[in-house]
Amino acid sequence: MTEMTKTPPILGYVNELSARPGELLEFKVSSLSDRPFTARLMRSISADPNPAGPGIVEEDASDWFPMASYPSVERPFHAGSYGLAEEEVALPMGAGLTVSVTVQPTLRSDARQTIFSLGAFALYLDATGAVTVELEGRAVGTGQPVKLHKWYRIVAQVQDGQVTLSQRAINQVGVDPVEAWG
């Protein structure tokens, strides 16, 4: 795992992307500053950055959340989704392993992008963006790059030394599942 070398001075998120009248939204903010920060609420009508599209269209929502200042508080931030084991995790010899993940890749990289690893097992996107499993130095890949900003269900299974790998697009019409084994 690679640690971020630079923490943004302020970052935040809301627990839900939308709400109906009467529903509660919670805003979470972490600030490294020693001064208060000011927040205001805007309603997003369009977030399309395409120059040919409608562009960014926002509406002031001060009636529901007046602009105000808040004390800066640093809260640890861990980019991406991940888990850490406090103790060594090992599989007994001959044990099977099934890993099922839902991912939405957002960046192409020349370096492999690890999705899940455990001992000699690694599930990752290769430099082309194809889903690959490596087990004890042997690699099995789909050979089909995933599309950026699209959701995929990836299932990797190891049983008796045999690797089965599937990559299924979620909510993408006309995209067939891709499978590999070895």
Side-chain angles (χ1 to χ4, degrees), residues 23 28 53 59 65 74-75 80 108 116 121 127 132 142 162:
E23 292 181 336
K28 312 293 184 176
E59 189 176 89
F65 184 93
E74 181 181 1
R75 293 179 174 88
R108 252 329 155 241
F116 179 87
F121 175 90
T132 305
T142 63
Q162 178 76 15

Side-chain angles (χ1 to χ4, degrees), residues 80 103-109 113 125 146-152:
V103 298
Q104 183 190 43
T106 58
L107 177 70
R108 252 329 155 241
S109 174
Q113 298 178 64
L125 297 180
V146 295
K147 294 178 182 175
L148 294 180
H149 305 286
K150 301 292 182 183
W151 287 101
Y152 289 85

Side-chain angles (χ1 to χ4, degrees), residues 89-100:
V89 177
L91 292 174
M93 285 297 285
L97 173 67
T98 300
V99 175
S100 176

Side-chain angles (χ1 to χ4, degrees), residues 149-164:
H149 305 286
K150 301 292 182 183
W151 287 101
Y152 289 85
R153 167 75 57 173
I154 300 168
V155 179
Q157 203 166 27
V158 178
Q159 188 66 50
D160 300 323
Q162 178 76 15
V163 175
T164 306

Side-chain angles (χ1 to χ4, degrees), residues 17-175:
L17 292 179
S18 65
R20 294 182 179 201
E23 292 181 336
L24 182 67
L25 294 175
E26 295 179 16
F27 295 87
K28 312 293 184 176
V29 178
S30 176
S31 173
L32 299 178
S33 178
D34 55 359
R35 298 181 316 212
F37 64 90
T38 300
R40 68 180 180 157
L41 183 64
M42 300 294 288
R43 180 175 181 214
S44 180
I45 308 300
S46 171
D48 184 357
N50 184 340
I56 306 295
V57 179
E58 295 177 327
E59 189 176 89
D60 181 51
S62 305
D63 291 345
W64 297 281
F65 184 93
M67 187 178 343
S69 291
Y70 299 90
S72 290
V73 177
E74 181 181 1
R75 293 179 174 88
F77 174 75
H78 307 286
S81 300
Y82 68 94
L84 295 175
E86 291 183 8
E87 299 175 12
E88 182 178 343
V89 177
L91 292 174
M93 285 297 285
L97 173 67
T98 300
V99 175
S100 176
V101 296
T102 303
V103 298
Q104 183 190 43
T106 58
L107 177 70
R108 252 329 155 241
S109 174
D110 291 334
R112 89 182 197 181
Q113 298 178 64
T114 301
I115 298 168
F116 179 87
S117 68
L118 176 63
F121 175 90
L123 173 64
Y124 60 91
L125 297 180
D126 69 14
T128 70
V131 178
T132 305
V133 167
E134 189 173 299
L135 179 64
E136 298 174 343
R138 178 174 50 115
V140 175
T142 63
Q144 178 70 43
V146 295
K147 294 178 182 175
L148 294 180
H149 305 286
K150 301 292 182 183
W151 287 101
Y152 289 85
R153 167 75 57 173
I154 300 168
V155 179
Q157 203 166 27
V158 178
Q159 188 66 50
D160 300 323
Q162 178 76 15
V163 175
T164 306
L165 179 61
S166 71
Q167 161 186 316
R168 299 185 191 294
I170 298 174
N171 296 328
Q172 295 179 52
V173 179
V175 179

